[in-house]
Amino acid sequence: MTAEKKRSLHETSVEQFQRAADLIDLPSNYRSILASPKNEVIVNFPVWLDSGEMKIFTGYRIQHNNILGPFKGGLRFHPDVDLDEVKALAAWMTFKTALVGIPYGGAKGGVTINPTDYSTSEMRRIVRRFTHALGSNIGPETDIPAPDVGTNAQTMDWVMDTYANIAPPAFKQSVKGVVTGKSVECGGSKGREEATGKGVLFSLRHWCGETNNRLDELTVTVQGFGNVGSHFARLAAEAGCKIVGVADHTGTVGNSEGLDIPALISHVKTTGGVKDFSGAQELETEELFSMKADVFVPAALENQVTAERAKTLGAKLVVEAANGPTTPQAEEILAQREVTIVPDILANAGGVIVSYFEWLQNKSSRSWSTKDIETRFREIVWDAHDNVVATCKEFDCSMRDAAYVVALRRITACYDRRGIFP
Ligand code: NAD
């Protein structure tokens, strides 16, 4: 095998949908529309730091497609955020929302920043000034951000408050839906915080049903222990899975008897990372990938499962909680090794599904019960998985290709009927 070809993330996202487009002989005009985002907004904005200095930050909002509904997608605050990454993440949102059949398009945004380098008051000023810079590019009927890496409910509360403060008085209340993933106190939905992790567990449950496996007999390794990874690990452990390895940016810990996940969550809250957790052995980074386990759940960043790591990956199933965690070459190697991948646009769609519920609740000024949310959530996730499994059989293809086929069929059916303006 030659050295892994370096591709831009956006190139990877385009190749993924083109493969599925080939399966359904998609005409070239649709391919051209979907190969580039509709709008690319880049803002450079100044913020006063606590030291009295002023600093310029760069932020992005990439709006990929909105044929099926308003643009929708997270805001990422991370030092590696750049145009290429945000373009890919925005495209994945278009396919994700189409795949699960919710009336949204796809977008993504972010700021190139390490949030841990700034105080809370600096972060509040950065978020407010970024929101102001985005201005009318976002809005409850146009483009609706949500949390992603490095952002959370507090970030969304600040975005919403800033947006409401610059909206005309008559709209101050009705603009709550400009973002989802807010705190429940500020109009967020019950169940949103854990939704992505819970959706990942639904994926695993569905796979168990298809393959006659039992959830409570599975061993699992998890990379990333933030919002998605920690909620997934907690819920999976509650369902009987043994979580034998966990990694984050501070280190990797393992325990063949199963890690005590609630204790690990407390440790991370106090220390900022999994490193030095007393109930485990410290492992090398690479050991997490080669460790024998039934399931590997990448829940950190892109391009983590490389060709090199794919050759010795210890799991037979990868459930992609992160966006874009597997490189194209790694995917080929895993296919040869008969390792199944439940693709990101299917496995991590739980967040945007419950975000959709939050948006509906904001529109109607109502609050749904946890039971209502759970029932509707499960139904949407289950339908999407059933659709993907049926499409895999139809084309004898991977779950990723099948997921894109389902999404492309929905998007292009709408284009077929609406036509292209004028
Ligand atoms: P987060 O910021 O809450 O957590 C990120 C985690 O990744 C942290 O534990 C961090 O330590 C870890 N990490 C970072 N670099 C790492 C490295 N090199 N090795 C190991 N671990 C590393 O972010 P999140 O919201 O949990 O998002 C994680 C992934 O899930 C991202 O790909 C994101 O796009 C995707 N996702 C998130 C949501 C959501 O609702 N938050 C929804 C869909 C998809």
Side-chain angles (χ1 to χ4, degrees), residues 201 205 215-216 234-241:
L201 185 62
R205 272 190 199 283
L215 208 49
D216 59 5
R234 177 180 58 79
L235 294 166
E238 282 169 12
C241 296

Side-chain angles (χ1 to χ4, degrees), residues 288-369:
L288 183 84
F289 295 92
S290 57
M291 189 188 284
K292 282 269 164 269
D294 299 303
V295 188
F296 173 57
V297 176
L301 297 169
E302 306 89 43
N303 291 338
Q304 295 301 303
V305 185
T306 57
E308 209 46 44
R309 287 169 173 169
K311 286 180 202 160
T312 54
L313 193 84
K316 292 305 275 178
L317 175 71
V318 177
V319 185
E320 293 184 334
N323 286 303
T326 313
T327 69
Q329 209 172 334
E331 186 154 356
E332 280 173 31
I333 295 167
L334 293 177
Q336 284 157 16
R337 294 188 53 215
E338 296 183 354
V339 175
T340 302
I341 300 176
V342 183
D344 44 11
I345 59 169
L346 180 63
N348 71 29
V352 76
I353 294 169
V354 180
S355 274
Y356 171 50
F357 298 162
E358 178 174 334
W359 186 67
L360 292 177
Q361 291 170 77
N362 290 161
K363 269 174 173 293
S364 58
S365 296
R366 288 189 57 196
S367 172
W368 298 1
S369 70

Side-chain angles (χ1 to χ4, degrees), residues 145-165:
D148 190 74
V149 175
T151 58
N152 54 27
Q154 176 62 83
T155 322
M156 296 306 118
D157 291 346
W158 288 331
V159 174
M160 184 272 282
D161 184 71
T162 308
Y163 192 85
N165 270 291

